[in-house]
Amino acid sequence: MKQADIIIIGSGPGGMEMCSCALSQEKNVILIENDKMGGTCLNKGCIPTKALCKSAEVVEIVKNAHKYGITLENVVPDFASAVERKDSIVSQMRKNVEIMLSKATVINGEAVFVDASTVQVGEEQFSAPVIVVATGSKPAMLPIEGAELCVDSNFVLDSKALPERICIVGGGVIGMELACILNAYGVDVTVVEFCSEILPNFDKEVAKRLRSMLNRKGVKILVSAAVTSVKQGFVVNYTTKGKEMSLDTDMVLMAVGRKPVIPKGLEEVGVKTSRKGIEVDTNYATNIPGIYAIGDCNGEMMLAHVAEAQARVISGEAVNMNVVPADVFTDPECAMVGLTQEQCVEKQLPIKVSKSLFRANGKANAMDNTDGFVKIIVNSETQQILGCHIIGPHASDLIQEVANAMATDTKVSELATVIHAHPTLSETVLSAIKSVVE
């Protein structure tokens, strides 16, 4: 049996960060990975989708090249080439991860818990006083008739041939990002969402604006619609407003969220789990001493940067886990941090809300990307920033300024005194801030 100071199961963002932190503390690390290094984020999630999002963005720019003084002829979007580019990016980043973690002992295979300090991979056993489970999540499927006929996001990301029509079941982050990518490459996209609005966890005004903008691009979005079955020949049956409806398509993509991956034997050694995932405390420790769980497998918040932050907490770093920005790489991008306006109303908080439109911003006009807004929500009594919601160009970058202010408890009146460079998109954030202060 091989001994180590720490065993890490999974090499996604949480596992990578945990391994990096442990190596920096000169610990003897065993890292066990059942698939490719980098986990879902690098191989099937964040990085490949963002690579394809960029390709889709370029397609849209080229389609409108005449607006920028460029005349192009015979432009043909090539999705297979975009996938090859994506694969190249992923491959290079995976090599970087392997180099970065080369001082750890990397074991390929499935880890099965033998006891609270021992796991087995194949015929070999490994032991350590600390075991960190970072096994991530996998696509969820609706328990409906015909679910086996549907593909998941993994299939679409690896497919070099696209259907003429696709029905995406689920209007969350994954569904909407893929809808934008496929729409850019000429696929007839229909999204069926169970909730009353797409992006259910986002500000309703942002979600409604995104739905309207995507409708104008040809993406058909059905909300308050529950898919009941999928039939051979790809007929999707659903109910909406008490009516039974159906639509014909060529492919059905199930994008109804993800579910945690629980290692075999974990529950047998006494670790408590729930439908949400592996149960942990505020230090991401399970009920069994020495066993921790980080990232998607604990179900706290399924975001790559949250998994990394949780690893840093276990490593003894001070991390503010109360302020977490979230992004959606649709076209246009959406981003949020803090409470939505609806949540503030539910909590009966005294609030003041202001919006700044990108169409009033010089840089956005120069980019010909003026649709969208920045919304700031503050406590009208304390001037504390409660939330920020952005839909528009580079929303994922702009949200960080407000996240930093919230994490350091910078009042909105203080943030309004900060000079922002001109002409930049950040001035749209400043305009919203100044408006809410006035």
Side-chain angles (χ1 to χ4, degrees):
M1 181 185 296
K2 290 187 178 180
Q3 305 282 336
D5 296 320
I6 181 172
I7 293 173
I8 302 166
I9 307 174
S11 68
M16 279 193 289
E17 185 68 16
M18 191 71 246
C19 186
S20 180
C21 291
L23 290 173
S24 70
Q25 296 170 357
E26 299 185 348
K27 292 182 178 179
N28 180 10
V29 180
I30 291 177
L31 176 63
I32 302 172
E33 173 54 58
N34 192 33
D35 201 345
K36 297 175 181 177
M37 290 291 284
T40 295
C41 175
L42 176 53
N43 296 289
K44 301 291 184 181
C46 310
I47 304 305
T49 55
K50 260 40 93 185
L52 292 177
C53 282
K54 182 60 182 181
S55 293
E57 178 189 350
V58 173
V59 169
E60 295 292 347
I61 291 173
V62 170
K63 285 179 182 178
N64 295 283
H66 61 281
K67 294 182 179 180
Y68 303 92
I70 304 170
T71 301
L72 298 173
E73 297 180 359
N74 301 321
V75 176
V76 180
D78 184 351
F79 189 73
S81 294
V83 171
E84 289 177 2
R85 172 181 175 271
K86 176 264 294 181
D87 290 342
S88 177
I89 292 168
V90 170
S91 178
Q92 183 57 57
M93 291 194 68
R94 192 185 305 124
K95 290 178 183 177
N96 294 344
V97 170
E98 291 168 354
I99 293 171
M100 181 179 68
L101 305 181
S102 60
K103 290 184 179 180
T105 299
V106 178
I107 306 297
N108 296 112
E110 183 180 13
V112 179
F113 273 83
V114 176
D115 56 44
S117 60
T118 309
V119 296
Q120 182 164 329
V121 181
E123 300 299 320
E124 197 167 10
Q125 290 191 348
F126 306 89
S127 179
V130 175
I131 300 178
V132 178
V133 180
T135 44
S137 61
K138 60 184 178 181
M141 285 283 179
L142 288 177
I144 59 172
E145 179 187 352
E148 70 281 359
L149 302 173
C150 304
V151 300
D152 59 25
S153 56
N154 295 345
F155 178 90
V156 174
L157 290 173
D158 289 334
S159 178
K160 294 186 178 181
L162 296 176
E164 290 187 13
R165 303 171 298 174
I166 192 168
C167 174
I168 299 177
V169 182
V173 174
I174 297 171
M176 298 317 302
E177 288 184 351
L178 291 175
C180 289
I181 293 168
L182 297 174
N183 172 255
Y185 279 92
V187 179
D188 183 348
V189 179
T190 300
V191 178
V192 183
E193 168 56 43
F194 175 77
C195 296
S196 60
E197 191 52 90
I198 59 172
L199 301 181
N201 295 326
F202 272 65
D203 181 89
K204 290 190 181 301
E205 191 174 5
V206 167
K208 184 178 180 180
R209 175 67 71 89
L210 178 64
R211 179 160 58 92
S212 175
M213 294 167 73
L214 294 185
N215 278 334
R216 294 202 299 268
K217 291 184 177 184
V219 178
K220 295 179 284 292
I221 302 175
L222 309 174
V223 294
S224 300
V227 174
T228 55
S229 66
V230 177
K231 301 293 187 181
Q232 285 283 0
F234 296 113
V235 176
V236 178
N237 297 310
Y238 64 96
T239 59
T240 181
K241 298 178 181 178
K243 298 180 180 179
E244 295 185 1
M245 309 287 286
S246 66
L247 62 89
D248 297 323
T249 188
D250 300 318
M251 182 181 289
V252 182
L253 165 64
M254 194 80 79
V256 292
R258 301 180 66 84
K259 58 183 180 180
V261 173
I262 311 297
K264 292 180 180 178
L266 184 71
E267 293 170 303
E268 284 72 11
V269 301
V271 173
K272 292 181 179 179
T273 64
S274 67
R275 184 178 179 183
K276 177 182 173 182
I278 302 170
E279 295 185 4
V280 294
D281 61 19
T282 54
N283 291 315
Y284 308 105
T286 69
N287 61 299
I288 300 298
I291 301 180
Y292 296 79
I294 59 175
D296 287 9
C297 67
N298 68 29
E300 294 285 300
M301 194 177 293
M302 290 188 176
L303 295 170
H305 45 287
V306 169
E308 292 178 349
Q310 291 175 354
R312 290 164 56 200
V313 170
I314 295 176
S315 300
E317 292 186 37
V319 184
N320 186 336
M321 300 298 296
N322 298 316
V323 180
V324 180
D327 310 310
V328 188
F329 293 87
T330 44
D331 184 17
E333 291 181 357
C334 301
M336 67 170 288
V337 65
L339 299 175
T340 65
Q341 187 171 347
E342 294 77 27
Q343 289 170 332
C344 290
V345 171
E346 289 175 6
K347 293 176 180 290
Q348 298 182 327
L349 297 173
I351 61 173
K352 185 176 181 181
V353 181
S354 74
K355 285 197 306 181
S356 177
L357 306 179
F358 278 102
R359 67 167 176 258
N361 178 267
K363 180 67 178 292
N365 277 273
M367 296 168 61
D368 192 38
N369 199 342
T370 59
D371 210 345
F373 59 81
V374 175
K375 175 192 280 191
I376 295 282
I377 307 168
V378 303
N379 186 310
S380 58
E381 295 177 355
T382 65
Q383 293 291 294
Q384 178 188 26
I385 303 172
L386 299 176
C388 180
H389 307 273
I390 307 176
I391 177 171
H394 294 276
S396 60
D397 302 312
L398 297 174
I399 199 70
Q400 195 62 47
E401 175 183 4
V402 182
N404 292 347
M406 292 176 65
T408 55
D409 200 26
T410 302
K411 300 296 186 286
V412 69
S413 54
E414 297 172 314
L415 196 55
T417 67
V418 178
I419 297 173
H420 289 57
H422 175 79
T424 64
L425 296 173
S426 67
E427 291 176 288
T428 309
V429 179
L430 178 62
S431 294
I433 290 166
K434 290 171 66 176
S435 178
V436 82
V437 170
E438 294 173 355

